[in-house]
Amino acid sequence: MPLIACPACGHQISIEAVACPQCGHPNRPAPPSPAPQTGPKCCLCPAPATTRCQGCNMFCCPRHVQSIYVQHNQGGANELRCPSCYESAMNWKIFGFVFAAIVAVIMLALITGIASR
């Protein structure tokens, strides 16, 4: 096994030695410290994101997502939405209810108009 001189005391040590047995000087460089985990950050705060908004795919933390039932083609599902997408989905829900109410009033007016003739 090859020997090298210790940089601190000059004593001959093995290249496999972790430290010099004479003075304790480390023979190997310290392993690099692991880099901090850098994952996605929330779109609204510096907290780590744990989910994506299902409307716009922005990363969000649990504090900034809200669940809302969203109608799809043949049904619907609860989705996690960021505040802006949640507000948009709520506006569409309100629009749908208002539209249905207007259609119901028109239908009722037509039915009562036909019945009174």
Side-chain angles (χ1 to χ4, degrees), residues 4-13 20 23:
I4 58 170
C6 172
C9 68
H11 189 268
Q12 292 289 314
I13 60 172
C20 175
C23 66

Side-chain angles (χ1 to χ4, degrees), residues 11-74:
H11 189 268
Q12 292 289 314
I13 60 172
S14 167
I15 60 169
E16 298 294 322
V18 176
C20 175
Q22 187 72 26
C23 66
H25 188 311
N27 188 28
R28 295 185 184 149
S33 60
Q37 293 294 333
T38 56
K41 300 287 183 208
C42 177
C43 62
L44 299 170
C45 70
T50 57
T51 188
R52 284 183 181 257
C53 169
Q54 291 173 302
C56 66
N57 282 332
M58 294 282 290
F59 287 108
C60 295
C61 68
R63 210 174 80 196
H64 291 113
V65 290
Q66 294 175 311
S67 178
I68 187 169
Y69 185 81
V70 179
Q71 203 62 30
H72 295 290
N73 293 340
Q74 295 179 345

